[in-house]
Amino acid sequence: QVQLVESGGGLVQAGGSLRLSCAASGYIFNINAMGWYRQAPGKQRELVAISSGGSTNYADSVKGRFTISRDSSKALSLQMNSLKHEDTAVYYCRARSMQNIEFWGQGTLVTVSS
């Protein structure tokens, strides 16, 4: 099993910055991909950014504003700059094992005031 704990969410004004962190524990040696997802009220959960095999990918809506960083399989972060009201959501950390088993954190709320 892998446990993921997110932190760093909060209330920020539009144009501001936040940094989210995700700490992984348990069978982390088995993780081959980690990423951030978000779910806004009334919407489906969507991919924000992912780190896998040394490469990163971002949703078009956050390119140039968000940066994902990964410290092996132990920690994942998301630097969010130039935040917009539409970035308001619960942000989740996700890990995928080599057996394609998914693990999710409990989420951290980001609220961007306009």
Side-chain angles (χ1 to χ4, degrees):
Q1 287 290 330
V2 173
Q3 293 79 42
L4 303 171
V5 179
E6 303 99 334
S7 61
L11 174 64
V12 64
Q13 287 187 334
S17 298
L18 277 178
R19 185 177 181 87
L20 304 183
S21 297
C22 174
S25 60
Y27 287 102
I28 60 174
F29 64 88
N30 209 22
I31 295 174
N32 65 356
M34 296 184 76
W36 289 98
Y37 290 71
R38 67 186 180 186
Q39 187 166 17
K43 296 187 177 181
Q44 290 188 332
R45 193 172 297 188
E46 63 177 2
L47 171 69
V48 176
I50 191 168
S51 172
S52 177
S55 65
T56 57
N57 285 287
Y58 297 88
D60 288 343
S61 59
V62 306
K63 282 181 181 177
R65 299 188 298 122
F66 291 10
T67 303
I68 189 171
S69 299
R70 182 176 170 186
D71 173 17
S72 64
S73 297
K74 297 180 180 179
L76 187 73
S77 64
L78 184 70
Q79 178 65 40
M80 306 186 294
N81 298 327
S82 302
L83 283 161
K84 304 175 181 180
H85 178 66
E86 49 265 42
D87 294 319
T88 295
V90 177
Y91 284 71
Y92 297 90
C93 178
R94 171 187 177 267
R96 187 185 71 219
S97 73
M98 295 178 187
Q99 294 77 27
N100 280 326
I101 299 173
E102 292 184 338
F103 302 93
W104 292 89
Q106 82 288 351
T108 185
L109 177 63
V110 172
T111 303
V112 183
S113 62
S114 56

PDB file of all heavy atoms in Angstrom, residues 7-48:
ATOM      1  N   SER A   7      -0.700  18.710   1.241  1.00  0.00           N
ATOM      2  CA  SER A   7      -0.734  19.892   2.089  1.00  0.00           C
ATOM      3  C   SER A   7      -0.464  21.112   1.234  1.00  0.00           C
ATOM      4  O   SER A   7      -0.014  20.996   0.090  1.00  0.00           O
ATOM      5  CB  SER A   7       0.304  19.791   3.214  1.00  0.00           C
ATOM      6  OG  SER A   7       1.604  19.692   2.677  1.00  0.00           O
ATOM      7  N   GLY A   8      -0.736  22.285   1.795  1.00  0.00           N
ATOM      8  CA  GLY A   8      -0.400  23.525   1.101  1.00  0.00           C
ATOM      9  C   GLY A   8      -1.564  24.271   0.496  1.00  0.00           C
ATOM     10  O   GLY A   8      -1.382  25.373  -0.024  1.00  0.00           O
ATOM     11  N   GLY A   9      -2.753  23.691   0.555  1.00  0.00           N
ATOM     12  CA  GLY A   9      -3.896  24.399   0.007  1.00  0.00           C
ATOM     13  C   GLY A   9      -4.282  25.586   0.867  1.00  0.00           C
ATOM     14  O   GLY A   9      -3.779  25.768   1.974  1.00  0.00           O
ATOM     15  N   GLY A  10      -5.180  26.403   0.344  1.00  0.00           N
ATOM     16  CA  GLY A  10      -5.631  27.550   1.100  1.00  0.00           C
ATOM     17  C   GLY A  10      -6.332  28.556   0.230  1.00  0.00           C
ATOM     18  O   GLY A  10      -6.688  28.264  -0.916  1.00  0.00           O
ATOM     19  N   LEU A  11      -6.513  29.741   0.781  1.00  0.00           N
ATOM     20  CA  LEU A  11      -7.184  30.831   0.086  1.00  0.00           C
ATOM     21  C   LEU A  11      -6.145  31.818  -0.420  1.00  0.00           C
ATOM     22  O   LEU A  11      -5.251  32.239   0.337  1.00  0.00           O
ATOM     23  CB  LEU A  11      -8.152  31.530   1.038  1.00  0.00           C
ATOM     24  CG  LEU A  11      -8.848  32.787   0.523  1.00  0.00           C
ATOM     25  CD1 LEU A  11      -9.756  32.458  -0.652  1.00  0.00           C
ATOM     26  CD2 LEU A  11      -9.627  33.444   1.652  1.00  0.00           C
ATOM     27  N   VAL A  12      -6.251  32.174  -1.685  1.00  0.00           N
ATOM     28  CA  VAL A  12      -5.306  33.103  -2.282  1.00  0.00           C
ATOM     29  C   VAL A  12      -6.053  34.007  -3.255  1.00  0.00           C
ATOM     30  O   VAL A  12      -7.054  33.602  -3.838  1.00  0.00           O
ATOM     31  CB  VAL A  12      -4.158  32.345  -2.981  1.00  0.00           C
ATOM     32  CG1 VAL A  12      -4.676  31.524  -4.152  1.00  0.00           C
ATOM     33  CG2 VAL A  12      -3.061  33.282  -3.433  1.00  0.00           C
ATOM     34  N   GLN A  13      -5.559  35.209  -3.428  1.00  0.00           N
ATOM     35  CA  GLN A  13      -6.181  36.117  -4.394  1.00  0.00           C
ATOM     36  C   GLN A  13      -5.739  35.760  -5.808  1.00  0.00           C
ATOM     37  O   GLN A  13      -4.644  35.197  -6.012  1.00  0.00           O
ATOM     38  CB  GLN A  13      -5.788  37.559  -4.087  1.00  0.00           C
ATOM     39  CG  GLN A  13      -6.468  38.127  -2.851  1.00  0.00           C
ATOM     40  CD  GLN A  13      -6.188  39.615  -2.687  1.00  0.00           C
ATOM     41  OE1 GLN A  13      -5.185  40.123  -3.140  1.00  0.00           O
ATOM     42  NE2 GLN A  13      -7.117  40.311  -2.028  1.00  0.00           N
ATOM     43  N   ALA A  14      -6.562  36.106  -6.765  1.00  0.00           N
ATOM     44  CA  ALA A  14      -6.206  35.893  -8.165  1.00  0.00           C
ATOM     45  C   ALA A  14      -4.886  36.590  -8.462  1.00  0.00           C
ATOM     46  O   ALA A  14      -4.649  37.714  -8.007  1.00  0.00           O
ATOM     47  CB  ALA A  14      -7.310  36.425  -9.073  1.00  0.00           C
ATOM     48  N   GLY A  15      -4.032  35.893  -9.203  1.00  0.00           N
ATOM     49  CA  GLY A  15      -2.704  36.397  -9.505  1.00  0.00           C
ATOM     50  C   GLY A  15      -1.637  35.947  -8.520  1.00  0.00           C
ATOM     51  O   GLY A  15      -0.447  36.127  -8.774  1.00  0.00           O
ATOM     52  N   GLY A  16      -2.067  35.376  -7.418  1.00  0.00           N
ATOM     53  CA  GLY A  16      -1.139  34.923  -6.395  1.00  0.00           C
ATOM     54  C   GLY A  16      -0.582  33.544  -6.667  1.00  0.00           C
ATOM     55  O   GLY A  16      -0.819  32.951  -7.731  1.00  0.00           O
ATOM     56  N   SER A  17       0.162  33.035  -5.693  1.00  0.00           N
ATOM     57  CA  SER A  17       0.837  31.741  -5.838  1.00  0.00           C
ATOM     58  C   SER A  17       0.577  30.858  -4.623  1.00  0.00           C
ATOM     59  O   SER A  17       0.349  31.353  -3.515  1.00  0.00           O
ATOM     60  CB  SER A  17       2.349  31.940  -5.995  1.00  0.00           C
ATOM     61  OG  SER A  17       2.654  32.688  -7.151  1.00  0.00           O
ATOM     62  N   LEU A  18       0.626  29.568  -4.859  1.00  0.00           N
ATOM     63  CA  LEU A  18       0.576  28.561  -3.799  1.00  0.00           C
ATOM     64  C   LEU A  18       1.469  27.405  -4.208  1.00  0.00           C
ATOM     65  O   LEU A  18       1.666  27.157  -5.409  1.00  0.00           O
ATOM     66  CB  LEU A  18      -0.851  28.034  -3.588  1.00  0.00           C
ATOM     67  CG  LEU A  18      -1.820  28.821  -2.715  1.00  0.00           C
ATOM     68  CD1 LEU A  18      -3.175  28.129  -2.712  1.00  0.00           C
ATOM     69  CD2 LEU A  18      -1.295  28.967  -1.302  1.00  0.00           C
ATOM     70  N   ARG A  19       1.964  26.702  -3.215  1.00  0.00           N
ATOM     71  CA  ARG A  19       2.752  25.504  -3.479  1.00  0.00           C
ATOM     72  C   ARG A  19       2.124  24.339  -2.729  1.00  0.00           C
ATOM     73  O   ARG A  19       2.008  24.369  -1.505  1.00  0.00           O
ATOM     74  CB  ARG A  19       4.205  25.691  -3.035  1.00  0.00           C
ATOM     75  CG  ARG A  19       5.102  24.522  -3.406  1.00  0.00           C
ATOM     76  CD  ARG A  19       6.553  24.789  -3.003  1.00  0.00           C
ATOM     77  NE  ARG A  19       7.454  23.716  -3.364  1.00  0.00           N
ATOM     78  CZ  ARG A  19       8.055  23.629  -4.548  1.00  0.00           C
ATOM     79  NH1 ARG A  19       7.847  24.563  -5.465  1.00  0.00           N
ATOM     80  NH2 ARG A  19       8.866  22.612  -4.811  1.00  0.00           N
ATOM     81  N   LEU A  20       1.728  23.341  -3.475  1.00  0.00           N
ATOM     82  CA  LEU A  20       1.163  22.132  -2.885  1.00  0.00           C
ATOM     83  C   LEU A  20       2.252  21.071  -2.738  1.00  0.00           C
ATOM     84  O   LEU A  20       3.152  20.985  -3.575  1.00  0.00           O
ATOM     85  CB  LEU A  20       0.040  21.575  -3.755  1.00  0.00           C
ATOM     86  CG  LEU A  20      -1.110  22.513  -4.088  1.00  0.00           C
ATOM     87  CD1 LEU A  20      -2.169  21.770  -4.905  1.00  0.00           C
ATOM     88  CD2 LEU A  20      -1.710  23.111  -2.853  1.00  0.00           C
ATOM     89  N   SER A  21       2.137  20.292  -1.689  1.00  0.00           N
ATOM     90  CA  SER A  21       3.081  19.204  -1.468  1.00  0.00           C
ATOM     91  C   SER A  21       2.333  17.903  -1.242  1.00  0.00           C
ATOM     92  O   SER A  21       1.207  17.905  -0.727  1.00  0.00           O
ATOM     93  CB  SER A  21       3.967  19.496  -0.248  1.00  0.00           C
ATOM     94  OG  SER A  21       4.756  20.646  -0.450  1.00  0.00           O
ATOM     95  N   CYS A  22       2.954  16.806  -1.629  1.00  0.00           N
ATOM     96  CA  CYS A  22       2.388  15.476  -1.421  1.00  0.00           C
ATOM     97  C   CYS A  22       3.497  14.586  -0.882  1.00  0.00           C
ATOM     98  O   CYS A  22       4.533  14.420  -1.538  1.00  0.00           O
ATOM     99  CB  CYS A  22       1.844  14.926  -2.722  1.00  0.00           C
ATOM    100  SG  CYS A  22       1.276  13.205  -2.637  1.00  0.00           S
ATOM    101  N   ALA A  23       3.277  14.041   0.301  1.00  0.00           N
ATOM    102  CA  ALA A  23       4.251  13.136   0.902  1.00  0.00           C
ATOM    103  C   ALA A  23       3.766  11.709   0.753  1.00  0.00           C
ATOM    104  O   ALA A  23       2.624  11.392   1.116  1.00  0.00           O
ATOM    105  CB  ALA A  23       4.439  13.489   2.376  1.00  0.00           C
ATOM    106  N   ALA A  24       4.634  10.862   0.227  1.00  0.00           N
ATOM    107  CA  ALA A  24       4.284   9.459   0.008  1.00  0.00           C
ATOM    108  C   ALA A  24       4.988   8.576   1.018  1.00  0.00           C
ATOM    109  O   ALA A  24       6.144   8.805   1.369  1.00  0.00           O
ATOM    110  CB  ALA A  24       4.675   9.037  -1.402  1.00  0.00           C
ATOM    111  N   SER A  25       4.295   7.553   1.474  1.00  0.00           N
ATOM    112  CA  SER A  25       4.883   6.582   2.394  1.00  0.00           C
ATOM    113  C   SER A  25       4.320   5.202   2.080  1.00  0.00           C
ATOM    114  O   SER A  25       3.346   5.066   1.345  1.00  0.00           O
ATOM    115  CB  SER A  25       4.600   6.960   3.853  1.00  0.00           C
ATOM    116  OG  SER A  25       3.205   7.005   4.084  1.00  0.00           O
ATOM    117  N   GLY A  26       4.957   4.182   2.633  1.00  0.00           N
ATOM    118  CA  GLY A  26       4.531   2.817   2.362  1.00  0.00           C
ATOM    119  C   GLY A  26       5.417   2.194   1.305  1.00  0.00           C
ATOM    120  O   GLY A  26       6.630   2.408   1.291  1.00  0.00           O
ATOM    121  N   TYR A  27       4.837   1.462   0.390  1.00  0.00           N
ATOM    122  CA  TYR A  27       5.607   0.766  -0.651  1.00  0.00           C
ATOM    123  C   TYR A  27       5.919   1.711  -1.811  1.00  0.00           C
ATOM    124  O   TYR A  27       5.534   1.474  -2.950  1.00  0.00           O
ATOM    125  CB  TYR A  27       4.841  -0.449  -1.135  1.00  0.00           C
ATOM    126  CG  TYR A  27       4.820  -1.580  -0.136  1.00  0.00           C
ATOM    127  CD1 TYR A  27       3.705  -1.827   0.655  1.00  0.00           C
ATOM    128  CD2 TYR A  27       5.939  -2.411   0.014  1.00  0.00           C
ATOM    129  CE1 TYR A  27       3.700  -2.850   1.576  1.00  0.00           C
ATOM    130  CE2 TYR A  27       5.933  -3.439   0.929  1.00  0.00           C
ATOM    131  CZ  TYR A  27       4.813  -3.651   1.711  1.00  0.00           C
ATOM    132  OH  TYR A  27       4.810  -4.669   2.618  1.00  0.00           O
ATOM    133  N   ILE A  28       6.661   2.765  -1.495  1.00  0.00           N
ATOM    134  CA  ILE A  28       6.932   3.785  -2.494  1.00  0.00           C
ATOM    135  C   ILE A  28       7.902   3.324  -3.563  1.00  0.00           C
ATOM    136  O   ILE A  28       7.972   3.919  -4.638  1.00  0.00           O
ATOM    137  CB  ILE A  28       7.438   5.079  -1.836  1.00  0.00           C
ATOM    138  CG1 ILE A  28       8.727   4.813  -1.057  1.00  0.00           C
ATOM    139  CG2 ILE A  28       6.367   5.692  -0.951  1.00  0.00           C
ATOM    140  CD1 ILE A  28       9.366   6.062  -0.505  1.00  0.00           C
ATOM    141  N   PHE A  29       8.648   2.261  -3.313  1.00  0.00           N
ATOM    142  CA  PHE A  29       9.598   1.763  -4.300  1.00  0.00           C
ATOM    143  C   PHE A  29       8.878   1.251  -5.538  1.00  0.00           C
ATOM    144  O   PHE A  29       9.464   1.090  -6.601  1.00  0.00           O
ATOM    145  CB  PHE A  29      10.445   0.651  -3.698  1.00  0.00           C
ATOM    146  CG  PHE A  29       9.660  -0.570  -3.299  1.00  0.00           C
ATOM    147  CD1 PHE A  29       9.422  -1.590  -4.208  1.00  0.00           C
ATOM    148  CD2 PHE A  29       9.134  -0.690  -2.029  1.00  0.00           C
ATOM    149  CE1 PHE A  29       8.695  -2.704  -3.846  1.00  0.00           C
ATOM    150  CE2 PHE A  29       8.400  -1.793  -1.660  1.00  0.00           C
ATOM    151  CZ  PHE A  29       8.173  -2.816  -2.567  1.00  0.00           C
ATOM    152  N   ASN A  30       7.567   1.012  -5.383  1.00  0.00           N
ATOM    153  CA  ASN A  30       6.771   0.431  -6.454  1.00  0.00           C
ATOM    154  C   ASN A  30       6.074   1.481  -7.322  1.00  0.00           C
ATOM    155  O   ASN A  30       5.351   1.139  -8.248  1.00  0.00           O
ATOM    156  CB  ASN A  30       5.706  -0.488  -5.828  1.00  0.00           C
ATOM    157  CG  ASN A  30       5.329  -1.620  -6.732  1.00  0.00           C
ATOM    158  OD1 ASN A  30       6.081  -1.985  -7.631  1.00  0.00           O
ATOM    159  ND2 ASN A  30       4.154  -2.190  -6.523  1.00  0.00           N
ATOM    160  N   ILE A  31       6.304   2.750  -7.016  1.00  0.00           N
ATOM    161  CA  ILE A  31       5.638   3.831  -7.740  1.00  0.00           C
ATOM    162  C   ILE A  31       6.413   4.169  -9.004  1.00  0.00           C
ATOM    163  O   ILE A  31       7.625   4.333  -8.956  1.00  0.00           O
ATOM    164  CB  ILE A  31       5.521   5.086  -6.859  1.00  0.00           C
ATOM    165  CG1 ILE A  31       4.615   4.813  -5.664  1.00  0.00           C
ATOM    166  CG2 ILE A  31       4.985   6.261  -7.670  1.00  0.00           C
ATOM    167  CD1 ILE A  31       4.583   5.957  -4.676  1.00  0.00           C
ATOM    168  N   ASN A  32       5.706   4.279 -10.124  1.00  0.00           N
ATOM    169  CA  ASN A  32       6.399   4.684 -11.346  1.00  0.00           C
ATOM    170  C   ASN A  32       5.832   5.958 -11.948  1.00  0.00           C
ATOM    171  O   ASN A  32       6.370   6.479 -12.921  1.00  0.00           O
ATOM    172  CB  ASN A  32       6.400   3.557 -12.387  1.00  0.00           C
ATOM    173  CG  ASN A  32       5.005   3.231 -12.867  1.00  0.00           C
ATOM    174  OD1 ASN A  32       4.025   3.771 -12.382  1.00  0.00           O
ATOM    175  ND2 ASN A  32       4.918   2.339 -13.830  1.00  0.00           N
ATOM    176  N   ALA A  33       4.764   6.502 -11.403  1.00  0.00           N
ATOM    177  CA  ALA A  33       4.215   7.759 -11.892  1.00  0.00           C
ATOM    178  C   ALA A  33       3.480   8.453 -10.753  1.00  0.00           C
ATOM    179  O   ALA A  33       2.847   7.793  -9.919  1.00  0.00           O
ATOM    180  CB  ALA A  33       3.253   7.536 -13.054  1.00  0.00           C
ATOM    181  N   MET A  34       3.584   9.766 -10.736  1.00  0.00           N
ATOM    182  CA  MET A  34       2.860  10.552  -9.750  1.00  0.00           C
ATOM    183  C   MET A  34       2.310  11.787 -10.440  1.00  0.00           C
ATOM    184  O   MET A  34       2.919  12.306 -11.394  1.00  0.00           O
ATOM    185  CB  MET A  34       3.767  10.971  -8.591  1.00  0.00           C
ATOM    186  CG  MET A  34       4.292   9.800  -7.766  1.00  0.00           C
ATOM    187  SD  MET A  34       5.262  10.349  -6.335  1.00  0.00           S
ATOM    188  CE  MET A  34       3.947  10.882  -5.226  1.00  0.00           C
ATOM    189  N   GLY A  35       1.190  12.256  -9.947  1.00  0.00           N
ATOM    190  CA  GLY A  35       0.597  13.421 -10.593  1.00  0.00           C
ATOM    191  C   GLY A  35      -0.375  14.152  -9.699  1.00  0.00           C
ATOM    192  O   GLY A  35      -0.695  13.712  -8.590  1.00  0.00           O
ATOM    193  N   TRP A  36      -0.815  15.277 -10.204  1.00  0.00           N
ATOM    194  CA  TRP A  36      -1.810  16.097  -9.519  1.00  0.00           C
ATOM    195  C   TRP A  36      -3.080  16.141 -10.372  1.00  0.00           C
ATOM    196  O   TRP A  36      -3.010  16.324 -11.596  1.00  0.00           O
ATOM    197  CB  TRP A  36      -1.295  17.518  -9.316  1.00  0.00           C
ATOM    198  CG  TRP A  36      -0.218  17.622  -8.292  1.00  0.00           C
ATOM    199  CD1 TRP A  36       1.127  17.664  -8.517  1.00  0.00           C
ATOM    200  CD2 TRP A  36      -0.389  17.708  -6.883  1.00  0.00           C
ATOM    201  NE1 TRP A  36       1.802  17.756  -7.331  1.00  0.00           N
ATOM    202  CE2 TRP A  36       0.899  17.791  -6.308  1.00  0.00           C
ATOM    203  CE3 TRP A  36      -1.492  17.721  -6.031  1.00  0.00           C
ATOM    204  CZ2 TRP A  36       1.103  17.880  -4.922  1.00  0.00           C
ATOM    205  CZ3 TRP A  36      -1.291  17.821  -4.674  1.00  0.00           C
ATOM    206  CH2 TRP A  36      -0.015  17.901  -4.125  1.00  0.00           C
ATOM    207  N   TYR A  37      -4.194  16.001  -9.712  1.00  0.00           N
ATOM    208  CA  TYR A  37      -5.504  16.115 -10.326  1.00  0.00           C
ATOM    209  C   TYR A  37      -6.307  17.122  -9.514  1.00  0.00           C
ATOM    210  O   TYR A  37      -5.957  17.438  -8.374  1.00  0.00           O
ATOM    211  CB  TYR A  37      -6.223  14.757 -10.338  1.00  0.00           C
ATOM    212  CG  TYR A  37      -5.614  13.762 -11.294  1.00  0.00           C
ATOM    213  CD1 TYR A  37      -4.378  13.191 -11.046  1.00  0.00           C
ATOM    214  CD2 TYR A  37      -6.276  13.393 -12.459  1.00  0.00           C
ATOM    215  CE1 TYR A  37      -3.809  12.289 -11.931  1.00  0.00           C
ATOM    216  CE2 TYR A  37      -5.724  12.487 -13.347  1.00  0.00           C
ATOM    217  CZ  TYR A  37      -4.492  11.938 -13.072  1.00  0.00           C
ATOM    218  OH  TYR A  37      -3.934  11.048 -13.951  1.00  0.00           O
ATOM    219  N   ARG A  38      -7.376  17.610 -10.107  1.00  0.00           N
ATOM    220  CA  ARG A  38      -8.233  18.527  -9.358  1.00  0.00           C
ATOM    221  C   ARG A  38      -9.696  18.299  -9.723  1.00  0.00           C
ATOM    222  O   ARG A  38     -10.005  17.819 -10.810  1.00  0.00           O
ATOM    223  CB  ARG A  38      -7.844  19.987  -9.612  1.00  0.00           C
ATOM    224  CG  ARG A  38      -8.107  20.475 -11.023  1.00  0.00           C
ATOM    225  CD  ARG A  38      -7.538  21.885 -11.193  1.00  0.00           C
ATOM    226  NE  ARG A  38      -7.777  22.403 -12.539  1.00  0.00           N
ATOM    227  CZ  ARG A  38      -7.280  23.555 -12.987  1.00  0.00           C
ATOM    228  NH1 ARG A  38      -6.520  24.306 -12.191  1.00  0.00           N
ATOM    229  NH2 ARG A  38      -7.557  23.962 -14.207  1.00  0.00           N
ATOM    230  N   GLN A  39     -10.539  18.666  -8.786  1.00  0.00           N
ATOM    231  CA  GLN A  39     -11.972  18.551  -9.019  1.00  0.00           C
ATOM    232  C   GLN A  39     -12.653  19.802  -8.502  1.00  0.00           C
ATOM    233  O   GLN A  39     -12.622  20.076  -7.298  1.00  0.00           O
ATOM    234  CB  GLN A  39     -12.544  17.310  -8.338  1.00  0.00           C
ATOM    235  CG  GLN A  39     -13.995  17.050  -8.679  1.00  0.00           C
ATOM    236  CD  GLN A  39     -14.437  15.659  -8.275  1.00  0.00           C
ATOM    237  OE1 GLN A  39     -13.794  14.983  -7.479  1.00  0.00           O
ATOM    238  NE2 GLN A  39     -15.551  15.203  -8.844  1.00  0.00           N
ATOM    239  N   ALA A  40     -13.224  20.544  -9.427  1.00  0.00           N
ATOM    240  CA  ALA A  40     -13.967  21.746  -9.071  1.00  0.00           C
ATOM    241  C   ALA A  40     -15.410  21.371  -8.759  1.00  0.00           C
ATOM    242  O   ALA A  40     -15.896  20.321  -9.190  1.00  0.00           O
ATOM    243  CB  ALA A  40     -13.910  22.745 -10.220  1.00  0.00           C
ATOM    244  N   PRO A  41     -16.110  22.212  -8.021  1.00  0.00           N
ATOM    245  CA  PRO A  41     -17.505  21.912  -7.673  1.00  0.00           C
ATOM    246  C   PRO A  41     -18.349  21.668  -8.916  1.00  0.00           C
ATOM    247  O   PRO A  41     -18.330  22.468  -9.854  1.00  0.00           O
ATOM    248  CB  PRO A  41     -17.949  23.173  -6.935  1.00  0.00           C
ATOM    249  CG  PRO A  41     -16.700  23.747  -6.371  1.00  0.00           C
ATOM    250  CD  PRO A  41     -15.633  23.452  -7.393  1.00  0.00           C
ATOM    251  N   GLY A  42     -19.052  20.543  -8.924  1.00  0.00           N
ATOM    252  CA  GLY A  42     -19.930  20.232 -10.033  1.00  0.00           C
ATOM    253  C   GLY A  42     -19.247  19.735 -11.284  1.00  0.00           C
ATOM    254  O   GLY A  42     -19.894  19.542 -12.314  1.00  0.00           O
ATOM    255  N   LYS A  43     -17.935  19.518 -11.213  1.00  0.00           N
ATOM    256  CA  LYS A  43     -17.192  19.076 -12.389  1.00  0.00           C
ATOM    257  C   LYS A  43     -16.488  17.758 -12.109  1.00  0.00           C
ATOM    258  O   LYS A  43     -16.314  17.353 -10.964  1.00  0.00           O
ATOM    259  CB  LYS A  43     -16.183  20.137 -12.816  1.00  0.00           C
ATOM    260  CG  LYS A  43     -16.813  21.440 -13.278  1.00  0.00           C
ATOM    261  CD  LYS A  43     -15.762  22.359 -13.843  1.00  0.00           C
ATOM    262  CE  LYS A  43     -16.385  23.644 -14.369  1.00  0.00           C
ATOM    263  NZ  LYS A  43     -15.360  24.561 -14.947  1.00  0.00           N
ATOM    264  N   GLN A  44     -16.063  17.105 -13.192  1.00  0.00           N
ATOM    265  CA  GLN A  44     -15.324  15.859 -13.041  1.00  0.00           C
ATOM    266  C   GLN A  44     -13.878  16.125 -12.662  1.00  0.00           C
ATOM    267  O   GLN A  44     -13.339  17.204 -12.935  1.00  0.00           O
ATOM    268  CB  GLN A  44     -15.373  15.079 -14.359  1.00  0.00           C
ATOM    269  CG  GLN A  44     -16.741  14.509 -14.683  1.00  0.00           C
ATOM    270  CD  GLN A  44     -16.701  13.580 -15.877  1.00  0.00           C
ATOM    271  OE1 GLN A  44     -15.853  13.728 -16.755  1.00  0.00           O
ATOM    272  NE2 GLN A  44     -17.606  12.614 -15.914  1.00  0.00           N
ATOM    273  N   ARG A  45     -13.287  15.143 -12.041  1.00  0.00           N
ATOM    274  CA  ARG A  45     -11.868  15.254 -11.712  1.00  0.00           C
ATOM    275  C   ARG A  45     -11.058  15.279 -13.000  1.00  0.00           C
ATOM    276  O   ARG A  45     -11.321  14.512 -13.938  1.00  0.00           O
ATOM    277  CB  ARG A  45     -11.437  14.077 -10.832  1.00  0.00           C
ATOM    278  CG  ARG A  45     -10.091  14.238 -10.183  1.00  0.00           C
ATOM    279  CD  ARG A  45      -9.817  13.133  -9.171  1.00  0.00           C
ATOM    280  NE  ARG A  45     -10.768  13.164  -8.069  1.00  0.00           N
ATOM    281  CZ  ARG A  45     -10.654  12.404  -6.982  1.00  0.00           C
ATOM    282  NH1 ARG A  45      -9.634  11.560  -6.865  1.00  0.00           N
ATOM    283  NH2 ARG A  45     -11.555  12.462  -6.027  1.00  0.00           N
ATOM    284  N   GLU A  46     -10.048  16.155 -13.049  1.00  0.00           N
ATOM    285  CA  GLU A  46      -9.244  16.299 -14.253  1.00  0.00           C
ATOM    286  C   GLU A  46      -7.760  16.305 -13.926  1.00  0.00           C
ATOM    287  O   GLU A  46      -7.345  16.681 -12.820  1.00  0.00           O
ATOM    288  CB  GLU A  46      -9.604  17.599 -14.987  1.00  0.00           C
ATOM    289  CG  GLU A  46      -9.317  18.852 -14.196  1.00  0.00           C
ATOM    290  CD  GLU A  46      -9.604  20.127 -14.979  1.00  0.00           C
ATOM    291  OE1 GLU A  46     -10.071  20.048 -16.129  1.00  0.00           O
ATOM    292  OE2 GLU A  46      -9.354  21.204 -14.417  1.00  0.00           O
ATOM    293  N   LEU A  47      -6.975  15.902 -14.902  1.00  0.00           N
ATOM    294  CA  LEU A  47      -5.530  15.911 -14.760  1.00  0.00           C
ATOM    295  C   LEU A  47      -5.014  17.342 -14.770  1.00  0.00           C
ATOM    296  O   LEU A  47      -5.429  18.159 -15.599  1.00  0.00           O
ATOM    297  CB  LEU A  47      -4.891  15.131 -15.905  1.00  0.00           C
ATOM    298  CG  LEU A  47      -3.375  15.224 -16.022  1.00  0.00           C
ATOM    299  CD1 LEU A  47      -2.707  14.497 -14.875  1.00  0.00           C
ATOM    300  CD2 LEU A  47      -2.913  14.655 -17.360  1.00  0.00           C
ATOM    301  N   VAL A  48      -4.094  17.635 -13.861  1.00  0.00           N
ATOM    302  CA  VAL A  48      -3.414  18.925 -13.841  1.00  0.00           C
ATOM    303  C   VAL A  48      -1.998  18.766 -14.386  1.00  0.00           C
ATOM    304  O   VAL A  48      -1.593  19.468 -15.315  1.00  0.00           O
ATOM    305  CB  VAL A  48      -3.365  19.512 -12.415  1.00  0.00           C
ATOM    306  CG1 VAL A  48      -2.557  20.805 -12.399  1.00  0.00           C
ATOM    307  CG2 VAL A  48      -4.774  19.740 -11.886  1.00  0.00           C
TER     308      VAL A  48
END
